[in-house]
Amino acid sequence: MEIKITKTTNPGVMPPESQLGFGKVFTDHMFVMDWDSVNGWHDARIVPFGRIDLHPASTVLHYGAEIFEGLKAYRRADGGVQLFRPMENIRRMNNSAERMCLPLLDEQDAFQALTEFVKLEEKWVPKSFGTSLYLRPFMYGDDEVLGVHAVHRATFMIIASPSGSYYAEGINPVKIMIESEDVRTVRGGTGYAKCGGNYAASTRAGERAALKGYSQVLWLDGVERKYVEEVGAMNVMFKIDGEVVTPKLTGSILPGITRKSCIEVLKNLGYTVSERLLSVEELVSAMESGKLEEAWGCGTAAVVSPIGKLAYAGKEYEVNGGKIGEVTQKLYDVLTGIQWGKLPDDYGWVYKL
Ligand SMILES: *Cc1c(COP(=O)(O)O)cnc(C)c1O
């Protein structure tokens, strides 16, 4: 695939790395590629970062035809830049596209787009451990008619945002509220697709939890509100009585790449990992009997996020004395070690640019 590059005449400067935060600063360029049902994907280009032009009837604005991905470019100590399991993101994006009737990407073209774009924006990959260049590929339908149908026009883009360390102030366990009113999605819905609509539907519960002092919610399944699914924008894992338990992928859970990587690392370290249904009653009784040893969320943004408190039905339970547990810390060390190139990549997960 040929990518036409138009460079900016007005390059920006990287703010001090300690002031980056998340998703607020953008790089100089963006990748754009158009699709229509007659010509397929065409006009792959990298252009100066800027606003996009949308017809007011665009499908994405009315019917939510939108999917996205999130991954990071990491700076190694030797100055080089690397990606973590990028093909997993591309494949997942195609699974999301299929669910939302958006066009599939050619995997190799998408990989080329990602790598060429990151190479061009290399100076925006921050240097300190824990910081990264967050990459946000996304796709939306932009038919210019109001009729409801699979899209005939779409746009694929990649933007990038240098981001600070998630744990700039140290790894502090978070307080999570188990949500028993709103649900995120249901089986048969779009839970396994990374789409904007899932987020639109989950904001209210998150806001309500925040008002009560909780940082995120733990979702229960949408049919019975009985089984634990995931936490906010992360998958979730529990160490119960020596065994690591994580909800199995039933279709309403986002298949996280961090989740998958954690499972592989844990098995390799000799832990028993069980992907199964976990009811909230089982979780509560494990908390009451002291059998819940650790709990953590896992996702690209935080890598792992220890859970220090869980609230359910008006009661609050402390997990592991409100401190990060041994397994959580180990996972953090191994995954961040591989991602930032401090540990050898025995799994073949890293792609060096
Ligand atoms: C992206 C996402 C995750 C985490 O996936 P990773 O591939 O590990 O970053 C988990 N849950 C939801 C709802 C997500 O959108």
Side-chain angles (χ1 to χ4, degrees):
M1 174 174 79
E2 199 198 321
I3 302 176
K4 186 169 174 257
I5 297 176
T6 310
K7 284 202 182 160
T8 181
T9 51
N10 187 21
V13 277
M14 177 89 116
E17 293 190 3
S18 60
Q19 287 167 31
L20 285 171
F22 175 73
K24 293 185 293 192
V25 178
F26 294 92
T27 63
D28 290 324
H29 302 93
M30 57 191 190
F31 175 87
V32 190
M33 180 162 68
D34 303 317
W35 180 89
D36 66 62
S37 50
V38 177
N39 301 301
W41 287 110
H42 58 275
D43 280 343
R45 58 202 186 270
I46 292 173
V47 295
F49 186 90
R51 291 182 180 276
I52 49 180
D53 190 42
L54 279 179
H55 187 282
S58 290
T59 328
V60 60
L61 299 177
H62 301 270
Y63 309 124
E66 192 269 351
I67 57 173
F68 66 95
E69 271 303 324
L71 70 163
K72 291 170 169 176
Y74 306 86
R75 177 84 64 188
R76 296 189 305 271
D78 68 7
V81 169
Q82 60 191 30
L83 303 175
F84 183 73
R85 311 189 82 175
M87 287 313 286
E88 294 282 337
N89 293 90
I90 292 169
R91 287 191 202 110
R92 184 170 67 190
M93 188 153 203
N94 271 344
N95 289 337
S96 302
E98 194 279 330
R99 178 64 183 84
M100 306 300 280
C101 284
L102 284 162
L104 301 197
L105 293 160
D106 177 278
E107 287 182 5
Q108 281 313 315
D109 286 351
F111 183 70
Q112 184 194 345
L114 199 59
T115 50
E116 278 195 35
F117 175 63
V118 176
K119 277 181 197 153
L120 186 75
E121 300 296 60
E122 218 237 72
K123 73 163 197 193
W124 291 97
V125 184
K127 297 189 172 56
S128 354
F129 181 71
T131 65
S132 60
L133 180 62
Y134 183 79
L135 305 168
R136 170 53 62 86
F138 61 106
M139 190 196 294
Y140 55 89
D142 47 9
D143 281 31
E144 300 180 347
V145 292
L146 289 175
V148 181
H149 46 66
V151 300
H152 298 112
R153 275 175 55 140
T155 300
F156 171 63
M157 296 183 62
I158 308 172
I159 55 175
S161 173
S163 296
S165 173
Y166 196 90
Y167 292 117
E169 274 128 51
I171 308 187
N172 292 315
V174 291
K175 283 173 71 176
I176 301 288
M177 198 178 91
I178 301 179
E179 172 66 32
S180 39
E181 196 176 324
D182 287 1
V183 297
R184 194 181 80 95
T185 84
V186 291
R187 268 159 266 164
T190 56
Y192 69 88
K194 212 167 170 76
C195 64
N198 289 343
Y199 280 79
S202 54
T203 308
R204 184 173 75 172
E207 290 296 303
R208 284 197 298 231
L211 284 177
K212 293 184 182 153
Y214 295 92
S215 61
Q216 293 198 37
V217 301
L218 177 64
W219 298 107
L220 300 179
D221 79 277
V223 179
E224 297 178 77
R225 290 185 180 74
K226 179 174 175 189
Y227 298 104
V228 170
E229 297 225 308
E230 53 181 312
V231 43
M234 288 186 284
N235 294 110
V236 68
M237 298 188 170
F238 303 92
K239 185 158 171 264
I240 303 174
D241 208 10
E243 182 193 51
V244 176
V245 179
T246 191
K248 71 170 184 180
L249 302 175
T250 51
S252 48
I253 295 175
L254 200 286
I257 296 158
T258 318
R259 174 189 182 276
K260 186 171 173 176
S261 307
C262 284
I263 293 172
E264 287 177 58
V265 168
L266 287 167
K267 287 188 173 166
N268 204 28
L269 291 172
Y271 290 98
T272 313
V273 184
S274 158
E275 295 178 64
R276 61 172 171 89
L277 294 177
L278 172 68
S279 70
V280 68
E281 294 95 77
E282 183 185 345
L283 181 61
V284 165
S285 87
M287 292 194 285
E288 284 174 343
S289 66
K291 285 187 174 160
L292 179 69
E293 296 158 18
E294 296 183 38
W296 64 91
C298 52
T300 297
V303 190
V304 291
S305 176
I307 298 172
K309 275 188 183 138
L310 266 170
Y312 183 63
K315 272 195 178 170
E316 203 177 71
Y317 303 88
E318 198 173 59
V319 186
N320 192 38
K323 295 189 303 284
I324 182 167
E326 197 184 311
V327 177
T328 316
Q329 183 72 53
K330 184 77 194 162
L331 276 175
Y332 180 80
D333 293 341
V334 171
L335 288 177
T336 58
I338 295 172
Q339 288 165 337
W340 275 271
K342 290 185 167 186
L343 288 180
D345 171 27
D346 298 333
Y347 300 88
W349 284 342
V350 154
Y351 178 81
K352 294 184 176 174
L353 286 171

